[in-house]
Amino acid sequence: MEHDEILSVIEGMLFLSGDEGLTLKQVSSILNIKKIEATNYLDELGQIINERKIKGYELVNYGGVYKLVTLSKYHDIYTKMVEQNEKSLSNAALETLAIIAYNQPVTRLRVEEIRGVGSDAMIRKLVAKALIKEVGREDTPGKPILYGVTDQFMDAFSLTTLDELPQLEEMANEFDEDDIFNTKYSEEP
């Protein structure tokens, strides 16, 4: 590989490594180069990033781990973006999440039986948002994946244990099936 190509590859590797970052040992091992060469490439890449006219991130070295991080001067904007993304769960995603929280460990098929519709996309979305995760496999033919909630789910809903979830009986009392069409969502005259 040529010099500029190696710089591009290292930048891509840093993006892929995310919050974990990369050590000199990892960079040198992956690219099959000496540690001093990896150091020189990382230093040069850092200079190139810092000299860019338009940039939203920088290369940092925290305790021997190189990472690409957003610029701290835009912290408030990035925080606002993350908060908006966290609040962007659709009703279908919330419904799927609730089913998993109350029935975990649970398979996708069981979630779909309860919801009455396919839930594959919702489950993928919740896994991507790290609100649910694979917690094992069911001991039945095909060994379907079992899902459960994550620590991030617990944090997002300010729960210390799942026992703090409202009891389903309590919520059922708030719902009047006979008066299903007379809700706060009915049309005003």
Side-chain angles (χ1 to χ4, degrees):
M1 271 192 284
E2 292 184 26
H3 180 81
D4 289 348
E5 224 177 358
I6 292 173
L7 290 172
S8 295
V9 168
I10 293 173
E11 185 176 23
M13 289 168 49
L14 288 164
F15 271 109
L16 288 173
S17 70
D19 291 339
E20 293 179 18
L22 294 170
T23 63
L24 282 175
K25 183 177 180 180
Q26 289 173 307
V27 173
S28 63
S29 171
I30 293 166
L31 294 176
N32 199 23
I33 58 176
K34 295 179 180 170
K35 281 187 182 179
I36 188 68
E37 289 177 282
T39 301
N40 292 336
Y41 281 120
L42 284 161
D43 289 344
E44 185 178 349
L45 182 60
Q47 287 177 331
I48 291 169
I49 291 170
N50 288 335
E51 291 171 1
R52 289 180 180 164
K53 209 172 200 181
I54 299 173
K55 62 181 178 176
Y57 61 91
E58 63 184 327
L59 177 60
V60 296
N61 177 358
Y62 293 137
V65 178
Y66 290 84
K67 300 178 181 186
L68 293 174
V69 298
T70 56
L71 296 175
S72 59
K73 68 181 181 180
Y74 302 125
H75 174 77
D76 293 341
I77 296 168
Y78 298 142
T79 300
K80 185 177 178 182
M81 182 200 85
V82 169
E83 287 171 354
Q84 284 180 353
N85 284 343
E86 287 176 355
K87 296 175 185 175
S88 65
L89 286 179
S90 66
N91 286 339
L94 286 170
E95 181 179 90
T96 304
L97 187 57
I99 291 168
I100 292 169
Y102 279 99
N103 295 283
Q104 71 175 338
V106 63
T107 64
R108 178 187 53 81
L109 182 60
R110 180 67 183 133
V111 171
E112 290 175 350
E113 287 172 353
I114 294 169
R115 285 191 69 217
V117 294
S119 300
D120 193 43
M122 286 301 112
I123 287 176
R124 280 197 314 269
K125 180 177 184 175
L126 294 170
V127 167
K129 289 187 173 283
L131 293 171
I132 64 169
K133 65 180 179 180
E134 293 182 19
V135 294
R137 298 266 181 178
E138 192 172 66
D139 195 20
T140 59
K143 302 273 189 202
I145 297 169
L146 291 166
Y147 293 97
V149 296
T150 63
D151 290 339
Q152 190 167 333
F153 165 86
M154 301 297 279
D155 291 345
F157 291 92
S158 302
L159 300 171
T160 52
T161 71
L162 288 175
D163 294 334
E164 295 175 2
L165 286 171
Q167 294 301 311
L168 292 175
E169 295 81 32
E170 292 172 20
M171 294 187 312
N173 293 336
E174 296 174 14
F175 181 74
D176 183 2
E177 286 187 38
D178 296 331
D179 199 18
I180 195 167
F181 296 107
N182 189 16
T183 67
K184 66 180 181 177
Y185 301 108
S186 62
E187 288 185 36
E188 292 184 23

